[in-house]
């Protein structure tokens, strides 16, 4: 989650090279990890998909709740010297990406893609967010943007973000109460700030 948050902060400031590098590093990390699971642990594709969705779920908790909703660790993010507007765009992107990952991990309508398709969905969605933030920053792109099906242009960015946040707020407002007496979304308890800071429960 932290690397994705930093990626979005760099993109919001027009730092395309750094943002792309962080995304590629995340993809490389997964590829190496999955390779070890297959070669050393003899795990199958179903296991890898479950593992990847589990990672999505963990990232969702931090991106949406810790960084977007609670504003935690904001002073540690690479936003030094950035304007309030840029910081707000980066924070909004964290909320959007967090909800996307939450949907793909816990949502009732999550995709049924094979492993390669799920990885492509993740990469294209994140790259689309990077390109949208770069475009809104006004900094010239280092290379022409490739067409990606999940690329959201700046013209419809605010509308789609607003709908995503409205849906998130609706889910939190209608959150069920778990057996432990706490609100839950997607069947998991909503963490409080102390638990997120401690980090041991995730």
């Amino acid at each position: 989650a932290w690397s994705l948050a930093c990626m979005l902060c760099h993109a919001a400031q027009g730092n395309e090279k750094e943002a792309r590098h962080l995304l590629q590093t995340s993809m490389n990390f997964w590829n190496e990890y999955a390779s070890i699971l297959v070669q050393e642990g003899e795990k199958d594709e179903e296991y890898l998909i479950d593992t990847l969705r589990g990672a999505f779920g963990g990232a969702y908790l931090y991106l949406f709740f810790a960084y977007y909703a609670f504003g935690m660790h904001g002073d540690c993010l690479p936003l030094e010297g950035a304007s309030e507007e840029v910081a707000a765009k980066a924070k909004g992107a964290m909320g959007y990406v967090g909800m996307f990952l939450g949907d793909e991990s816990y949502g009732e309508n999550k995709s049924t893609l094979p492993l390669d398709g799920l990885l492509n969905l993740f990469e294209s969605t994140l790259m689309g967010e990077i390109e949208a933030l770069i475009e809104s920053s006004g900094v010239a792109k280092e290379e022409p943007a490739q067409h990606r099906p999940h690329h959201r242009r700046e013209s419809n960015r605010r509308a789609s973000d607003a709908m995503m946040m409205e849906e998130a707020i609706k889910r939190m407002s209608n959150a069920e109460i778990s057996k432990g007496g706490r609100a839950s979304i997607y069947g998991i308890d909503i963490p409080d700030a102390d638990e997120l800071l401690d980090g041991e429960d995730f």
Side-chain angles (χ1 to χ4, degrees):
W2 181 252
S3 63
L4 298 183
C6 291
M7 175 197 75
L8 296 169
C9 288
H10 278 296
Q13 296 172 87
N15 302 330
E16 183 176 6
K17 182 178 180 181
E18 290 82 354
R20 287 178 178 270
H21 172 73
L22 285 168
L23 177 57
Q24 188 57 54
T25 298
S26 297
M27 297 299 297
N28 291 343
F29 178 86
W30 165 259
N31 289 335
E32 289 296 324
Y33 181 59
S35 177
I36 292 173
L37 289 177
V38 172
Q39 295 176 13
E40 303 295 333
E42 299 182 351
K43 303 301 183 181
D44 58 15
E45 179 164 325
E46 183 178 358
Y47 182 92
L48 294 180
I49 290 175
D50 288 343
T51 300
L52 182 59
R53 289 193 187 279
F56 285 176
Y60 153 69
L61 289 173
Y62 280 94
L63 285 170
F64 185 79
F65 288 110
Y67 306 149
Y68 175 76
F70 296 150
M72 295 166 57
H73 301 161
D75 57 341
C76 299
L77 290 167
L79 287 169
E80 185 176 356
S83 66
E84 291 184 5
E85 180 182 2
V86 167
K89 286 183 178 181
K91 185 176 179 181
M94 292 176 209
Y96 175 85
V97 171
M99 285 306 302
F100 159 72
L101 294 174
D103 282 340
E104 282 300 320
S105 182
Y106 306 114
E108 295 180 358
N109 298 317
K110 62 186 177 185
S111 65
T112 57
L113 295 167
L115 181 61
D116 286 346
L118 188 58
L119 285 169
N120 288 337
L121 177 62
F122 170 79
E123 184 178 19
S124 64
T125 299
L126 271 290
M127 184 56 70
E129 196 64 18
I130 287 174
E131 291 176 354
L133 288 169
I134 293 290
E135 185 175 339
S136 70
S137 74
V139 177
K141 291 185 175 64
E142 295 183 2
E143 58 184 75
Q146 298 178 356
H147 174 71
R148 297 176 183 270
H150 296 275
H151 183 127
R152 297 181 306 121
R153 298 292 182 182
E154 180 66 14
S155 59
N156 64 13
R157 177 184 174 81
R158 290 187 179 181
S160 57
D161 283 356
M163 288 188 290
M164 177 67 77
M165 292 303 112
E166 181 181 359
E167 177 65 18
I169 292 171
K170 186 184 299 182
R171 287 175 183 169
M172 286 192 285
S173 300
N174 297 328
E176 299 176 352
I177 302 301
S178 69
K179 293 181 180 179
R182 302 177 59 184
S184 66
I185 299 176
Y186 297 128
I188 60 173
D189 289 352
I190 298 175
D192 58 31
D194 290 338
E195 289 175 330
L196 286 167
L197 280 171
D198 182 60
E200 295 181 358
D201 292 331
F202 306 103

